[in-house]
Amino acid sequence: YSTLWTATGFPSPTYSSTGSLPPGLALDAATGLRSGTPTTAGVFKFKVVASNTSGKASTSATQTVTIKLALESNEVGITGTATVGQTLTAETDPWGPGTVKLSYKWERSSNGATWSTISKATKATYKLTGSDKKHRVRVVVTGTETGYTTASVASESDTLS
């Protein structure tokens, strides 16, 4: 993550900030580069001030940024027998941090490249139907938690005979 603040003048300006710069980000006083990796989710409001050493000129800008951190997702697998009438189950280790809400979307494909959502198949289990015969079936698990980016992981797929 980086943002470059610029100002011109003589002597060359230096940069400082007031307010809540997001944790994990720093402002380089010589260049005006705000960079780093955010470590805390939230909304942060801060002001960047550029001033020259003679003390005769300064300018400032206020910015509000919303930081969302990445969820820790896991691989998704399917257990069960890939035969019409049988039930498949999506399995994954816990996602984090905290209590991540997982949702499920089962999909089918005739070629393994283009996938179609299976209507009403939104639980961790899916009972295979005649429409799945000679198709590949997979599950896409999506995790959500306030303050974090949404993450989705698709399982490998099996072809039904």
Side-chain angles (χ1 to χ4, degrees):
Y1 182 90
S2 68
T3 303
L4 181 62
W5 298 87
T6 59
T8 58
F10 184 81
S12 295
T14 58
Y15 301 86
S16 61
S17 67
T18 60
S20 297
L21 196 63
L25 297 183
L27 178 67
D28 185 306
T31 64
L33 180 65
R34 182 187 66 203
S35 62
T37 302
T39 58
T40 304
V43 178
F44 303 90
K45 185 175 183 177
F46 56 92
K47 181 191 289 189
V48 173
V49 179
S51 55
N52 65 22
T53 55
S54 69
K56 297 191 182 203
S58 70
T59 187
S60 65
T62 300
Q63 185 177 27
T64 302
V65 294
T66 300
I67 302 292
K68 289 188 174 189
L69 302 178
L71 281 177
E72 298 167 16
S73 60
N74 278 299
E75 289 185 9
V76 175
I78 297 175
T79 59
T81 304
T83 305
V84 171
Q86 297 298 310
T87 299
L88 300 179
T89 302
E91 293 189 346
T92 185
D93 287 331
W95 294 24
T99 306
V100 178
K101 180 179 183 238
L102 299 179
S103 60
Y104 303 86
K105 177 177 72 169
W106 291 86
E107 298 176 330
R108 79 170 59 94
S109 173
S110 60
N111 60 15
T114 305
W115 294 89
S116 300
T117 300
I118 301 171
S119 178
K120 299 181 183 175
T122 58
K123 297 185 189 286
T125 58
Y126 172 66
K127 186 173 182 177
L128 296 163
T129 69
S131 298
D132 300 317
K133 193 170 185 170
K134 300 206 184 275
H135 285 79
R136 296 178 80 73
V137 175
R138 73 177 185 183
V139 63
V140 178
V141 178
T142 300
T144 57
E145 184 172 351
T146 303
Y148 292 84
T149 58
T150 298
S152 294
V153 177
S155 69
E156 295 293 322
S157 61
D158 287 329
T159 302
L160 277 67
S161 52

